[in-house]
Amino acid sequence: MMTDHKQTTKQASGQQDVKVERITAADRISGDEGIEEERKIRPACFADYPGQERAKHNLQTYVQAARMRNQVLDHVILHGPPGLGKTTIGQIIANEMGLPFVATNAATIEKQGDLVGILASLERRTTIFVDEIHRLPRAVEESLYTAMEEFILDLVVGEGKSARPLKMPIAEFTLVGATTRISLLSKPLLSRFGIQERLDYYTVAELEQIIKRAASVLKIPCSACGIAIIAQRARGTPRIANRLLRRVWDFAVVAGRTSIDAEVAKFAADKLEVDTLGLDNTDRQIMGLIAERYQGGPVGIEALAATLGEDRRTLEEVYEPYLVYKGLVSRSARGRILTAAGQAHLQRSCVS
Protein backbone atom coordinates (compact mmCIF):
# COMPACT_ATOMS: atom_id res chain seq x y z
CA MET A 1 0.00 0.00 0.00
CA MET A 2 1.50 3.37 -1.02
CA THR A 3 1.88 5.98 1.72
CA ASP A 4 1.29 9.68 1.05
CA HIS A 5 4.56 11.47 1.84
CA LYS A 6 3.91 15.23 2.11
CA GLN A 7 6.53 17.94 2.10
CA THR A 8 5.90 21.62 2.84
CA THR A 9 8.08 24.50 1.73
CA LYS A 10 8.08 27.81 3.57
CA GLN A 11 9.05 31.03 1.89
CA ALA A 12 11.60 33.23 3.58
CA SER A 13 10.41 36.65 4.69
CA GLY A 14 10.29 39.09 1.80
CA GLN A 15 10.97 36.39 -0.81
CA GLN A 16 9.00 36.79 -4.04
CA ASP A 17 6.58 34.13 -5.21
CA VAL A 18 8.00 31.86 -7.88
CA LYS A 19 5.75 30.69 -10.69
CA VAL A 20 5.43 26.90 -10.61
CA GLU A 21 6.34 25.29 -13.93
CA ARG A 22 4.01 22.57 -15.22
CA ILE A 23 5.19 18.99 -15.05
CA THR A 24 3.32 18.50 -18.35
CA ALA A 25 5.07 21.38 -20.14
CA ALA A 26 6.37 20.28 -23.54
CA ASP A 27 9.14 22.90 -23.41
CA ARG A 28 12.16 22.41 -21.17
CA ILE A 29 11.65 23.47 -17.56
CA SER A 30 14.12 24.23 -14.78
CA GLY A 31 13.52 20.86 -13.10
CA ASP A 32 14.71 18.92 -16.15
CA GLU A 33 18.01 17.08 -15.87
CA GLY A 34 21.29 18.39 -17.23
CA ILE A 35 22.80 18.08 -20.67
CA GLU A 36 24.79 14.95 -19.85
CA GLU A 37 21.73 12.93 -18.83
CA GLU A 38 19.79 14.17 -21.86
CA ARG A 39 22.67 13.11 -24.08
CA LYS A 40 22.64 9.64 -22.55
CA ILE A 41 19.01 8.93 -23.39
CA ARG A 42 18.97 10.69 -26.77
CA PRO A 43 19.06 8.24 -29.74
CA ALA A 44 22.14 8.65 -31.92
CA CYS A 45 20.77 7.03 -35.10
CA PHE A 46 17.47 6.53 -36.90
CA ALA A 47 17.47 2.81 -36.01
CA ASP A 48 17.18 3.69 -32.30
CA TYR A 49 14.56 6.40 -32.84
CA PRO A 50 10.99 5.15 -32.21
CA GLY A 51 8.01 6.80 -33.86
CA GLN A 52 7.68 9.48 -36.56
CA GLU A 53 7.82 6.68 -39.13
CA ARG A 54 6.86 8.77 -42.17
CA ALA A 55 9.27 11.63 -41.46
CA LYS A 56 11.99 9.22 -40.36
CA HIS A 57 11.74 7.11 -43.53
CA ASN A 58 11.85 10.21 -45.73
CA LEU A 59 14.85 11.67 -43.92
CA GLN A 60 16.72 8.36 -44.04
CA THR A 61 16.17 8.31 -47.81
CA TYR A 62 17.41 11.88 -48.29
CA VAL A 63 20.47 11.29 -46.11
CA GLN A 64 21.35 8.06 -47.90
CA ALA A 65 20.95 9.70 -51.31
CA ALA A 66 23.19 12.63 -50.31
CA ARG A 67 25.85 10.22 -49.05
CA MET A 68 25.69 8.10 -52.22
CA ARG A 69 26.10 11.22 -54.37
CA ASN A 70 28.73 12.65 -52.01
CA GLN A 71 26.76 15.90 -51.89
CA VAL A 72 25.67 18.25 -49.14
CA LEU A 73 22.18 17.43 -47.85
CA ASP A 74 19.44 19.92 -48.74
CA HIS A 75 18.35 22.26 -45.96
CA VAL A 76 15.71 20.78 -43.66
CA ILE A 77 12.81 22.38 -41.78
CA LEU A 78 11.21 20.37 -38.96
CA HIS A 79 7.94 21.68 -37.59
CA GLY A 80 5.35 20.56 -35.06
CA PRO A 81 4.61 20.83 -31.32
CA PRO A 82 7.50 21.22 -28.85
CA GLY A 83 9.21 18.27 -27.17
CA LEU A 84 8.84 15.82 -30.08
CA GLY A 85 12.53 15.39 -30.91
CA LYS A 86 13.47 18.02 -33.49
CA THR A 87 16.89 18.60 -31.90
CA THR A 88 17.48 14.86 -31.70
CA ILE A 89 16.66 14.41 -35.39
CA GLY A 90 19.05 17.24 -36.28
CA GLN A 91 21.81 15.46 -34.36
CA ILE A 92 20.94 12.12 -35.98
CA ILE A 93 21.15 13.68 -39.46
CA ALA A 94 24.68 14.85 -38.70
CA ASN A 95 25.60 11.45 -37.23
CA GLU A 96 24.22 9.53 -40.20
CA MET A 97 26.07 11.84 -42.58
CA GLY A 98 29.23 11.41 -40.49
CA LEU A 99 29.69 15.17 -40.32
CA PRO A 100 30.03 17.87 -37.60
CA PHE A 101 26.99 19.22 -35.75
CA VAL A 102 26.44 22.71 -34.34
CA ALA A 103 23.29 23.75 -32.42
CA THR A 104 22.04 27.24 -31.63
CA ASN A 105 18.81 29.11 -30.92
CA ALA A 106 17.42 31.86 -33.13
CA ALA A 107 16.95 34.06 -30.06
CA THR A 108 20.75 34.35 -29.75
CA ILE A 109 21.17 35.54 -33.36
CA GLU A 110 20.17 39.17 -33.01
CA LYS A 111 22.12 40.79 -35.84
CA GLN A 112 23.97 39.98 -39.04
CA GLY A 113 27.30 39.85 -37.23
CA ASP A 114 26.06 37.00 -35.03
CA LEU A 115 25.13 35.01 -38.12
CA VAL A 116 28.46 35.75 -39.82
CA GLY A 117 30.33 34.58 -36.72
CA ILE A 118 28.51 31.24 -36.81
CA LEU A 119 28.64 30.53 -40.55
CA ALA A 120 32.21 31.73 -41.11
CA SER A 121 33.58 29.25 -38.59
CA LEU A 122 31.79 26.15 -39.86
CA GLU A 123 33.67 23.14 -41.12
CA ARG A 124 32.73 21.83 -44.57
CA ARG A 125 29.27 20.21 -44.71
CA THR A 126 28.49 20.88 -41.06
CA THR A 127 24.88 20.36 -39.99
CA ILE A 128 23.79 23.54 -38.16
CA PHE A 129 20.63 23.24 -36.10
CA VAL A 130 18.68 26.45 -35.40
CA ASP A 131 15.88 26.07 -32.87
CA GLU A 132 12.87 28.42 -32.91
CA ILE A 133 13.95 29.62 -36.35
CA HIS A 134 10.74 31.64 -36.69
CA ARG A 135 12.27 34.10 -34.18
CA LEU A 136 15.08 35.21 -36.52
CA PRO A 137 15.04 38.98 -37.12
CA ARG A 138 14.08 39.84 -40.69
CA ALA A 139 17.49 41.40 -41.48
CA VAL A 140 19.27 38.24 -40.35
CA GLU A 141 16.82 36.09 -42.26
CA GLU A 142 17.55 37.99 -45.47
CA SER A 143 21.28 37.45 -44.95
CA LEU A 144 20.61 33.73 -44.91
CA TYR A 145 19.19 33.60 -48.42
CA THR A 146 22.46 33.66 -50.41
CA ALA A 147 24.20 31.71 -47.66
CA MET A 148 21.72 28.85 -48.05
CA GLU A 149 21.59 28.94 -51.85
CA GLU A 150 25.14 29.81 -52.90
CA PHE A 151 27.18 29.44 -49.68
CA ILE A 152 28.12 33.09 -49.89
CA LEU A 153 27.58 35.85 -47.34
CA ASP A 154 26.66 39.24 -48.76
CA LEU A 155 28.33 41.79 -46.47
CA VAL A 156 28.76 45.52 -46.39
CA VAL A 157 32.24 46.60 -45.26
CA GLY A 158 32.81 50.10 -43.90
CA GLU A 159 30.36 52.93 -43.29
CA GLY A 160 28.98 55.90 -45.14
CA LYS A 161 30.70 56.81 -48.44
CA SER A 162 33.46 54.27 -47.85
CA ALA A 163 31.01 51.37 -47.50
CA ARG A 164 31.39 48.67 -50.15
CA PRO A 165 29.72 45.31 -50.79
CA LEU A 166 31.71 42.15 -50.18
CA LYS A 167 30.89 38.57 -51.09
CA MET A 168 32.43 36.19 -48.59
CA PRO A 169 32.52 32.47 -49.51
CA ILE A 170 31.68 30.07 -46.69
CA ALA A 171 31.83 26.29 -46.33
CA GLU A 172 28.93 24.21 -47.60
CA PHE A 173 26.49 23.43 -44.80
CA THR A 174 23.08 21.95 -44.13
CA LEU A 175 20.71 24.12 -42.12
CA VAL A 176 18.20 22.20 -40.03
CA GLY A 177 15.59 24.65 -38.76
CA ALA A 178 13.08 23.76 -36.06
CA THR A 179 9.87 25.62 -35.34
CA THR A 180 6.61 25.17 -33.49
CA ARG A 181 5.04 27.95 -35.58
CA ILE A 182 5.83 27.38 -39.23
CA SER A 183 3.18 29.95 -40.24
CA LEU A 184 5.49 32.68 -38.87
CA LEU A 185 8.27 31.84 -41.33
CA SER A 186 8.37 34.13 -44.34
CA LYS A 187 7.70 32.50 -47.70
CA PRO A 188 11.17 33.40 -49.07
CA LEU A 189 12.88 31.64 -46.16
CA LEU A 190 10.56 28.63 -46.18
CA SER A 191 11.08 28.16 -49.92
CA ARG A 192 14.81 27.66 -49.36
CA PHE A 193 14.26 24.48 -47.35
CA GLY A 194 14.27 21.64 -49.86
CA ILE A 195 13.14 19.17 -47.19
CA GLN A 196 10.10 19.98 -45.05
CA GLU A 197 8.86 17.47 -42.48
CA ARG A 198 6.19 17.72 -39.80
CA LEU A 199 6.54 15.82 -36.52
CA ASP A 200 3.32 14.59 -34.90
CA TYR A 201 2.41 13.50 -31.38
CA TYR A 202 3.55 9.95 -30.51
CA THR A 203 1.27 7.01 -29.84
CA VAL A 204 1.20 5.41 -26.40
CA ALA A 205 2.96 2.34 -27.84
CA GLU A 206 5.77 4.50 -29.24
CA LEU A 207 6.14 6.32 -25.93
CA GLU A 208 6.40 2.96 -24.15
CA GLN A 209 9.41 2.13 -26.35
CA ILE A 210 10.98 5.51 -25.54
CA ILE A 211 10.41 5.13 -21.78
CA LYS A 212 11.70 1.56 -21.78
CA ARG A 213 14.89 2.64 -23.53
CA ALA A 214 15.39 5.65 -21.23
CA ALA A 215 14.77 3.52 -18.13
CA SER A 216 17.36 1.01 -19.34
CA VAL A 217 19.97 3.74 -19.98
CA LEU A 218 19.29 5.44 -16.62
CA LYS A 219 19.16 2.07 -14.82
CA ILE A 220 15.62 2.58 -13.51
CA PRO A 221 13.87 -0.80 -13.01
CA CYS A 222 10.34 -0.66 -14.48
CA SER A 223 7.51 -3.10 -15.02
CA ALA A 224 5.62 -3.11 -18.30
CA CYS A 225 2.49 -1.90 -16.47
CA GLY A 226 4.39 0.97 -14.84
CA ILE A 227 5.78 2.04 -18.21
CA ALA A 228 2.30 1.88 -19.76
CA ILE A 229 0.83 4.22 -17.13
CA ILE A 230 3.61 6.78 -17.63
CA ALA A 231 3.25 6.58 -21.42
CA GLN A 232 -0.52 7.06 -21.20
CA ARG A 233 -0.08 10.31 -19.25
CA ALA A 234 2.81 11.77 -21.26
CA ARG A 235 0.70 13.81 -23.72
CA GLY A 236 2.20 12.11 -26.77
CA THR A 237 5.52 13.86 -26.05
CA PRO A 238 8.89 12.16 -25.36
CA ARG A 239 10.23 15.08 -23.30
CA ILE A 240 7.26 14.79 -20.93
CA ALA A 241 7.55 10.99 -20.86
CA ASN A 242 11.19 11.15 -19.80
CA ARG A 243 10.43 13.83 -17.19
CA LEU A 244 7.57 11.79 -15.73
CA LEU A 245 9.82 8.72 -15.62
CA ARG A 246 12.33 10.57 -13.43
CA ARG A 247 9.68 12.07 -11.16
CA VAL A 248 7.87 8.74 -10.70
CA TRP A 249 11.23 7.17 -9.83
CA ASP A 250 11.63 9.86 -7.14
CA PHE A 251 8.34 8.77 -5.57
CA ALA A 252 9.36 5.12 -5.80
CA VAL A 253 12.71 5.72 -4.09
CA VAL A 254 11.16 7.71 -1.23
CA ALA A 255 8.52 4.99 -0.77
CA GLY A 256 11.26 2.36 -0.50
CA ARG A 257 10.41 0.67 -3.79
CA THR A 258 13.09 -0.97 -5.90
CA SER A 259 11.24 -0.56 -9.19
CA ILE A 260 8.42 1.36 -10.88
CA ASP A 261 5.32 -0.81 -10.96
CA ALA A 262 1.71 0.09 -11.80
CA GLU A 263 0.87 1.03 -8.21
CA VAL A 264 3.72 3.50 -7.72
CA ALA A 265 3.28 4.94 -11.23
CA LYS A 266 -0.41 5.64 -10.61
CA PHE A 267 0.26 7.00 -7.12
CA ALA A 268 2.94 9.40 -8.41
CA ALA A 269 0.82 10.56 -11.36
CA ASP A 270 -2.08 11.26 -9.00
CA LYS A 271 0.18 13.28 -6.69
CA LEU A 272 1.45 15.21 -9.71
CA GLU A 273 -2.22 15.73 -10.64
CA VAL A 274 -1.72 14.35 -14.14
CA ASP A 275 -4.77 12.37 -15.23
CA THR A 276 -5.16 9.44 -17.59
CA LEU A 277 -5.08 11.70 -20.68
CA GLY A 278 -2.05 13.64 -19.46
CA LEU A 279 -4.13 16.68 -18.49
CA ASP A 280 -3.18 18.76 -15.46
CA ASN A 281 -5.22 21.18 -13.33
CA THR A 282 -4.84 24.07 -15.79
CA ASP A 283 -6.10 21.96 -18.69
CA ARG A 284 -9.11 20.88 -16.65
CA GLN A 285 -9.69 24.46 -15.50
CA ILE A 286 -9.83 25.65 -19.13
CA MET A 287 -12.32 22.91 -20.01
CA GLY A 288 -14.34 23.58 -16.86
CA LEU A 289 -14.63 27.29 -17.61
CA ILE A 290 -15.89 26.63 -21.13
CA ALA A 291 -18.38 24.10 -19.74
CA GLU A 292 -19.72 26.09 -16.80
CA ARG A 293 -19.28 29.80 -17.40
CA TYR A 294 -19.77 29.69 -21.16
CA GLN A 295 -22.23 26.77 -21.35
CA GLY A 296 -19.85 24.71 -23.46
CA GLY A 297 -19.02 27.51 -25.87
CA PRO A 298 -18.36 28.94 -28.28
CA VAL A 299 -16.22 31.44 -26.39
CA GLY A 300 -13.70 33.84 -27.93
CA ILE A 301 -10.06 33.34 -27.12
CA GLU A 302 -9.74 36.86 -25.69
CA ALA A 303 -12.64 36.32 -23.29
CA LEU A 304 -11.25 32.94 -22.24
CA ALA A 305 -7.77 34.39 -21.67
CA ALA A 306 -9.18 37.27 -19.60
CA THR A 307 -11.24 34.92 -17.44
CA LEU A 308 -8.25 32.67 -16.81
CA GLY A 309 -5.84 35.57 -16.30
CA GLU A 310 -3.57 34.09 -18.98
CA ASP A 311 -1.94 35.62 -22.03
CA ARG A 312 -3.73 34.80 -25.29
CA ARG A 313 -0.53 33.47 -26.89
CA THR A 314 0.06 31.19 -23.91
CA LEU A 315 -3.39 29.69 -24.36
CA GLU A 316 -2.94 29.27 -28.11
CA GLU A 317 0.62 27.91 -28.05
CA VAL A 318 0.89 26.03 -24.74
CA TYR A 319 -2.50 24.73 -23.68
CA GLU A 320 -4.75 24.49 -26.72
CA PRO A 321 -2.76 22.31 -29.14
CA TYR A 322 -2.98 19.14 -27.05
CA LEU A 323 -6.62 19.74 -26.05
CA VAL A 324 -7.53 20.15 -29.72
CA TYR A 325 -5.39 17.14 -30.73
CA LYS A 326 -7.21 14.93 -28.20
CA GLY A 327 -10.59 16.17 -29.47
CA LEU A 328 -11.54 17.69 -26.11
CA VAL A 329 -11.80 21.27 -27.38
CA SER A 330 -12.52 22.43 -30.92
CA ARG A 331 -11.83 25.75 -32.61
CA SER A 332 -14.50 27.46 -34.68
CA ALA A 333 -14.92 30.86 -36.32
CA ARG A 334 -17.01 31.91 -33.32
CA GLY A 335 -14.59 30.65 -30.66
CA ARG A 336 -13.63 27.60 -28.59
CA ILE A 337 -16.12 24.79 -27.96
CA LEU A 338 -15.95 21.96 -25.44
CA THR A 339 -16.67 18.73 -27.34
CA ALA A 340 -18.72 15.78 -26.15
CA ALA A 341 -15.44 13.95 -25.42
CA GLY A 342 -14.32 16.92 -23.35
CA GLN A 343 -17.58 16.94 -21.39
CA ALA A 344 -17.29 13.21 -20.73
CA HIS A 345 -13.70 13.53 -19.52
CA LEU A 346 -14.61 16.36 -17.16
CA GLN A 347 -17.42 14.26 -15.69
CA ARG A 348 -15.08 11.29 -15.18
CA SER A 349 -12.53 13.60 -13.51
CA CYS A 350 -15.21 14.91 -11.11
CA VAL A 351 -16.29 11.37 -10.20
CA SER A 352 -12.72 10.16 -9.59
Side-chain angles (χ1 to χ4, degrees), residues 112 115 138-147 152-154:
Q112 188 187 47
L115 179 67
R138 185 54 56 90
V140 173
E141 184 182 298
E142 290 173 355
S143 298
L144 261 179
Y145 298 161
T146 53
I152 290 173
L153 280 171
D154 282 326

Side-chain angles (χ1 to χ4, degrees), residues 281-296 304 308 329 338 342-343 346 350:
N281 276 337
T282 306
D283 296 309
R284 292 187 290 271
Q285 183 185 10
I286 292 169
M287 294 165 61
L289 274 173
I290 299 174
E292 296 165 17
R293 186 169 298 192
Y294 298 101
Q295 293 76 51
L304 191 58
L308 286 163
V329 172
L338 188 67
Q343 287 277 10
L346 269 184
C350 291

Side-chain angles (χ1 to χ4, degrees), residues 14-295:
Q15 188 177 2
Q16 292 184 342
D17 290 338
V18 177
K19 185 177 180 181
V20 178
E21 294 176 300
R22 302 166 68 218
I23 190 73
T24 57
D27 290 309
R28 289 186 178 87
I29 63 175
S30 57
D32 286 345
E33 302 303 319
I35 294 174
E36 277 305 316
E37 189 159 84
E38 261 200 19
R39 191 175 292 140
K40 284 181 184 177
I41 63 177
R42 183 173 287 173
C45 60
F46 284 121
D48 291 337
Y49 190 102
Q52 306 297 345
E53 294 303 322
R54 179 195 54 77
K56 185 170 66 175
H57 179 268
N58 290 348
L59 289 167
Q60 281 179 300
T61 301
Y62 305 143
V63 166
Q64 185 177 357
R67 291 183 62 183
M68 290 172 69
R69 290 194 295 258
N70 194 29
Q71 292 178 346
V72 64
L73 180 70
D74 275 354
H75 304 298
V76 181
I77 188 77
L78 303 173
H79 60 102
L84 299 188
K86 301 181 198 71
T87 306
T88 300
I89 288 179
Q91 178 74 74
I92 289 174
I93 287 172
N95 293 344
E96 299 266 351
M97 291 291 293
L99 296 170
F101 177 76
V102 172
T104 189
N105 190 295
T108 67
I109 308 174
E110 298 178 350
K111 53 187 184 298
Q112 188 187 47
D114 298 329
L115 179 67
V116 172
I118 294 170
L119 297 183
S121 61
L122 294 180
E123 297 179 48
R124 186 169 178 265
R125 295 190 181 178
T126 293
T127 298
I128 175 169
F129 179 85
V130 180
D131 201 8
E132 297 183 324
I133 197 167
H134 60 269
R135 296 180 62 182
L136 282 177
R138 185 54 56 90
V140 173
E141 184 182 298
E142 290 173 355
S143 298
L144 261 179
Y145 298 161
T146 53
M148 293 173 71
E149 289 183 329
E150 303 173 30
F151 305 113
I152 290 173
L153 280 171
D154 282 326
L155 307 176
V156 176
V157 180
E159 296 180 358
K161 292 183 178 180
S162 62
R164 58 187 178 84
L166 173 67
K167 290 188 177 292
M168 178 177 135
I170 55 175
E172 292 180 333
F173 67 94
T174 295
L175 175 61
V176 178
T179 178
T180 57
R181 305 187 68 192
I182 195 167
S183 61
L184 295 185
L185 263 68
S186 69
K187 288 184 179 178
L189 179 58
L190 188 59
S191 69
R192 284 164 170 81
F193 288 97
I195 300 170
Q196 301 181 17
E197 295 291 341
R198 174 178 171 80
L199 303 190
D200 296 309
Y201 288 108
Y202 290 68
T203 66
V204 171
E206 290 166 347
L207 287 175
E208 287 177 3
Q209 295 180 56
I210 290 167
I211 295 166
K212 184 177 180 181
R213 181 180 181 277
S216 175
V217 171
L218 298 176
K219 296 181 170 49
I220 299 175
C222 291
S223 73
C225 292
I227 288 173
I229 288 173
I230 296 172
Q232 185 185 40
R233 305 189 187 213
R235 299 171 74 95
T237 306
R239 180 175 293 145
I240 297 173
N242 290 328
R243 184 185 302 141
L244 285 175
L245 171 67
R246 292 191 289 259
R247 298 294 74 84
V248 172
W249 182 231
D250 289 341
F251 278 94
V253 169
V254 171
R257 298 301 185 91
T258 57
S259 68
I260 292 176
D261 58 16
E263 184 185 16
V264 74
K266 185 178 185 308
F267 174 83
D270 289 344
K271 290 300 160 190
L272 294 168
E273 299 181 321
V274 180
D275 68 24
T276 54
L277 288 184
L279 308 188
D280 64 10
N281 276 337
T282 306
D283 296 309
R284 292 187 290 271
Q285 183 185 10
I286 292 169
M287 294 165 61
L289 274 173
I290 299 174
E292 296 165 17
R293 186 169 298 192
Y294 298 101
Q295 293 76 51

